[in-house]
Amino acid sequence: KNMSIIIKTRAQIDLMRISCKLAAEVLDYIEPYVKPGITTLELDKLCHDYIVNVQNAYPSPLNYQPNPKGPAYPNSICTSVNAEICHGIPNDKPLKNGDIVNLDITVYKNGVHGDTSRTYLVGDKVTPQAKRLVQITYECMWLGIKQVKPGNFLGDIGHAIQTHAEKNAYSVVQEFCGHGIGEGFHEDPQVLHYGKAKTGPQLQAGMIFTIEPMINQGKRAVRFSSNGWTALTKDRSLSAQFEHTILVTPDGYEVLTVSPNMPAIPDFMK
Ligand code: MF3
Ligand code: CO
Ligand code: CO
């Protein structure tokens, strides 16, 4: 497959730092609202208004239509609850104590996009099993990030993620992947969250892409909602996801989607 991975200029990298920080700051802003009883539509409206009125930016998902034969995305953020894997569309159903919900934020400012997501625990009744899925998914993302340096292979990232997920008896969703990002929301390369070490393109300084593993408690199989967007686990098991946007630097990586309140970075990154 022909891939053309853009090497970003200094100027593009400086703008990406801004958009990515804004996206991460939306995740910090919304965190205190993620409580039992709020609806995902209310979370969408709060994020929309923050991005548009406070950040003077645009929520990239709104009216996004990657497939001309499919529907445009109707909202400003993705809200994927419990067995929803990704691209959950906000609705008027209140979140329940014990739910897990991924909020995926993409912000467009100065001509470039920044993309990041977290899975939140709703209330104080999330089961230990669900908490463990969320924690291992977070570790999977960071183990992928740890593989990012010039000369390593794209396959090294997927291999590290898949190894950790499967060691914990979870499965990796294969229908969605991380992606290059910049002036385009979804650019080359495709960043698979599974695969073989030392395969695929080699990483070079100046590449920017997301790492956003979706990890299922049960089997990896996906079913698609009739809304044309939402992916769910076929076996109805829980699914979790985290996402950062990463710059390949001459020595390794820089996480661009940083914010004051991001969850603690695992000790194995030190
Ligand atoms: N933010 C998602 C990603 O990580 C893409 C969402 S597309 C949307 O790639 F239209 F559903 F918002
Ligand atoms: Co995203
Ligand atoms: Co993404």
Side-chain angles (χ1 to χ4, degrees):
K1 196 162 78 297
N2 286 317
M3 280 217 261
S4 59
I5 307 176
I6 299 166
I7 303 299
K8 267 68 178 183
T9 63
R10 281 301 302 265
Q12 285 174 314
I13 291 167
D14 289 341
L15 296 179
M16 285 297 290
R17 265 196 207 94
I18 296 170
S19 296
C20 287
K21 186 163 173 283
L22 291 175
E25 286 172 354
V26 177
L27 292 174
D28 284 3
Y29 160 76
I30 201 65
E31 179 174 47
Y33 295 98
V34 183
K35 292 275 137 60
I38 198 163
T39 71
T40 48
L41 259 181
E42 289 168 333
L43 295 174
D44 176 72
K45 165 94 165 96
L46 285 163
C47 292
H48 170 93
D49 290 353
Y50 190 78
I51 293 165
V52 170
N53 301 322
V54 178
Q55 298 184 331
N56 295 111
Y58 183 82
S60 309
L62 185 59
N63 299 314
Y64 180 56
Q65 190 180 12
N67 174 0
K69 290 183 218 127
Y73 193 75
N75 288 84
S76 296
I77 70 170
C78 296
T79 59
S80 303
V81 181
N82 294 337
E84 292 176 341
I85 295 167
C86 65
H87 305 164
I89 295 181
N91 62 35
D92 60 6
K93 208 179 123 200
L95 292 174
K96 300 184 308 294
N97 197 343
D99 285 346
I100 62 171
V101 59
N102 176 276
L103 303 183
D104 192 340
I105 308 291
T106 313
V107 166
Y108 186 68
K109 175 120 178 169
N110 302 318
V112 298
H113 301 267
D115 192 4
T116 184
S117 85
R118 296 179 196 155
T119 298
Y120 299 84
L121 310 179
V122 181
D124 56 5
K125 295 192 159 120
V126 177
T127 66
Q129 294 92 327
K131 281 187 185 166
R132 185 170 167 277
L133 173 70
V134 172
Q135 177 60 26
I136 298 293
T137 303
Y138 189 60
E139 292 172 7
C140 281
M141 175 186 67
W142 279 105
L143 288 166
I145 293 170
K146 201 172 182 185
Q147 293 298 320
V148 176
K149 64 174 170 194
N152 272 13
F153 296 81
L154 218 43
D156 295 337
I157 297 171
H159 180 72
I161 292 169
Q162 182 174 27
T163 299
H164 192 57
E166 293 181 354
K167 192 176 72 190
N168 286 282
Y170 297 141
S171 62
V172 178
V173 172
Q174 298 194 355
E175 283 77 0
F176 300 92
C177 56
H179 49 92
I181 183 167
E183 293 174 9
F185 190 167
H186 294 103
E187 298 179 348
D188 284 345
Q190 298 203 112
V191 181
L192 303 185
H193 302 118
Y194 62 94
K196 283 172 68 123
K198 310 243 177 293
T199 63
Q202 275 182 293
L203 305 181
Q204 284 177 47
M207 292 179 177
I208 299 181
F209 50 79
T210 72
I211 298 178
E212 50 178 301
M214 285 142 273
I215 306 297
N216 296 351
Q217 206 173 31
K219 294 194 173 31
R220 72 168 183 85
V222 171
R223 87 191 147 91
F224 286 90
S225 162
S226 57
N227 69 23
W229 276 104
T230 308
L232 304 99
T233 60
K234 195 169 171 186
D235 64 10
R236 267 59 166 185
S237 68
L238 296 176
S239 186
Q241 181 178 26
F242 286 85
E243 174 175 24
H244 271 311
T245 299
I246 308 295
L247 166 68
V248 185
T249 65
D251 312 321
Y253 63 86
E254 178 182 335
V255 177
L256 299 180
T257 35
V258 288
S259 62
N261 256 322
M262 64 192 230
I265 299 170
D267 283 343
F268 59 66
M269 297 301 287
K270 289 181 195 132

